[in-house]
Amino acid sequence: MSGKSKRKEIPVFQTPLIETHCHLDYLQQDSTEAILQQARERGVERFITIAVAPDNLDTVRTLADTHDAVYCTQGVHPHEARLYTAEVGQRIRAGAESERVVAIGEIGLDYHYDNSPRAQQRQAFAEQLQIALDMALPIVVHTRDADDDTMAIFREFSGQGLRGVIHSFTSSPELAEFCLQEGFHLGFNGIITFNKAENVRAVVAETPVERILLETDSPFLTPVPFRGKENAPFYLPLVAEKVAELKDSPPEALIRQTTQNARDLFFHGA
Ligand SMILES: [Zn+2]
């Protein structure tokens, strides 16, 4: 045999990784345990599976209760904001009492798809930010094509101690700078391996490593060269490798820092 193999391997690093954003309940492949095992073999030691709607608040908590290394969030995504009611807010508060719940999310604004009316998105976002403050939990934020209103709502809460991550960051450098000034982290995933994502790679380059979190957002956004396959947490090392390249850092050092960032934000440093 000669010539270069076209087969790209998923790298395995020595330093443990934390998958800060996945949707385990939406994965079609294998069993959850099989996926977690494949990820563990590639160094992923913890997983945060994310709530998005009233009908998966209990599902993600059950996943976190039944799998050792799995933690979860409670919250309603902007797509589903039309389903957010005071009663749902009470369910989020009650669910977030569990020690397996590490954040309120994903919450935010999405004016790209406008799946829910914008006024309802803003109200659901603000009410869930208040829940996060009341419960002293960090937030996991989704924002798309809504920079001005995202900043306006964050300004209303500024100085009250909100912490969290703007996950799957794809917005403007201005929003990135604002969020970093407000003390938030930025989460990056397989998007940074996409050809057309030069703007996102530019944000990675400008973000201090102390503020970067790694995620896959699986089952969505599978990294290159596995596009077309369903995404899963075992691809996380590819995201780490790409961020390290963009930060001009040895991968192990980059992972050490980003894992510590995730520990500090979601696990009280542990
Ligand atoms: Zn998500």
Side-chain angles (χ1 to χ4, degrees), residues 133 136 188 192 250 267 269:
L133 277 178
F188 299 103
I192 62 170
F267 300 100

Side-chain angles (χ1 to χ4, degrees), residues 21-23 50-52 77 106 140 142 167-168 215 217-218 220:
H21 194 116
C22 59
H23 299 273
I50 304 290
V52 292
H77 192 287
E106 56 183 292
V140 175
H142 170 111
H167 109 93
S168 192
E215 62 172 59
D217 203 15
S218 50
F220 317 108

Side-chain angles (χ1 to χ4, degrees):
M1 295 262 292
S2 65
K4 264 196 280 181
S5 167
K6 276 189 200 155
R7 201 156 149 255
K8 162 94 179 167
E9 300 285 341
I10 302 169
V12 179
F13 299 109
Q14 297 307 308
T15 313
L17 288 147
I18 295 179
E19 159 71 291
T20 63
H21 194 116
C22 59
H23 299 273
L24 293 177
D25 51 329
Y26 292 151
L27 269 65
Q28 305 287 318
Q29 57 192 299
D30 296 337
S31 69
T32 303
E33 196 46 52
I35 293 163
L36 297 176
Q37 188 51 36
Q38 287 184 69
R40 281 188 202 103
E41 285 163 11
R42 295 182 175 99
V44 185
E45 64 165 16
R46 271 180 243 179
F47 309 82
I48 302 175
T49 193
I50 304 290
V52 292
D55 73 2
N56 91 330
L57 293 173
D58 296 342
T59 313
V60 295
R61 280 208 327 281
T62 301
L63 279 164
D65 284 339
T66 48
H67 299 277
D68 246 4
V70 176
Y71 299 81
C72 71
T73 66
Q74 297 280 272
V76 172
H77 192 287
H79 287 347
E80 314 294 338
R82 66 190 184 286
L83 303 176
Y84 186 88
T85 60
E87 188 260 333
V88 170
Q90 285 309 319
R91 285 184 54 210
I92 290 170
R93 283 179 195 268
E97 297 283 355
S98 162
E99 61 180 18
R100 311 295 293 182
V101 174
V102 297
I104 298 298
E106 56 183 292
I107 59 177
L109 303 174
D110 192 314
Y111 294 175
H112 183 77
Y113 288 107
D114 279 325
N115 287 354
S116 286
R118 292 181 179 185
Q120 272 177 289
Q121 292 190 40
R122 288 190 291 269
Q123 182 167 355
F125 186 27
E127 288 189 19
Q128 294 178 96
L129 289 175
Q130 190 59 53
I131 293 174
L133 277 178
D134 292 346
M135 304 196 68
L137 283 168
I139 52 175
V140 175
V141 175
H142 170 111
T143 177
R144 187 159 182 202
D145 292 356
D147 292 16
D148 289 349
D149 282 1
T150 299
M151 286 190 267
I153 290 174
F154 278 151
R155 274 194 199 98
E156 286 173 30
F157 285 84
S158 194
Q160 297 185 58
L162 272 182
R163 322 169 283 133
V165 57
I166 318 304
H167 109 93
S168 192
F169 192 89
T170 54
S171 300
S172 65
E174 291 73 25
L175 184 63
E177 198 185 333
F178 175 85
C179 291
L180 290 169
Q181 272 168 12
E182 290 290 308
F184 294 116
H185 292 68
L186 305 183
F188 299 103
N189 53 41
I191 289 177
I192 62 170
T193 67
F194 299 177
N195 253 336
K196 285 186 288 190
E198 206 47 65
N199 60 323
V200 185
R201 284 188 286 275
V203 172
V204 175
E206 292 296 316
T207 303
V209 286
E210 294 77 16
R211 299 296 193 83
I212 292 177
L213 294 182
L214 306 179
E215 62 172 59
T216 65
D217 203 15
S218 50
F220 317 108
L221 305 170
T222 312
V224 171
F226 296 97
R227 303 285 291 148
K229 294 193 176 184
E230 185 180 68
N231 200 5
F234 51 73
Y235 291 122
L236 190 61
L238 291 167
V239 177
E241 184 179 50
K242 187 68 184 179
V243 171
E245 179 194 315
L246 295 170
K247 298 307 288 180
D248 206 8
S249 163
E252 300 285 353
L254 183 281
I255 295 168
R256 212 172 301 125
Q257 182 63 54
T258 52
T259 294
Q260 190 59 48
N261 299 343
R263 287 187 176 134
D264 290 343
L265 185 59
F266 297 117
F267 300 100
H268 306 286

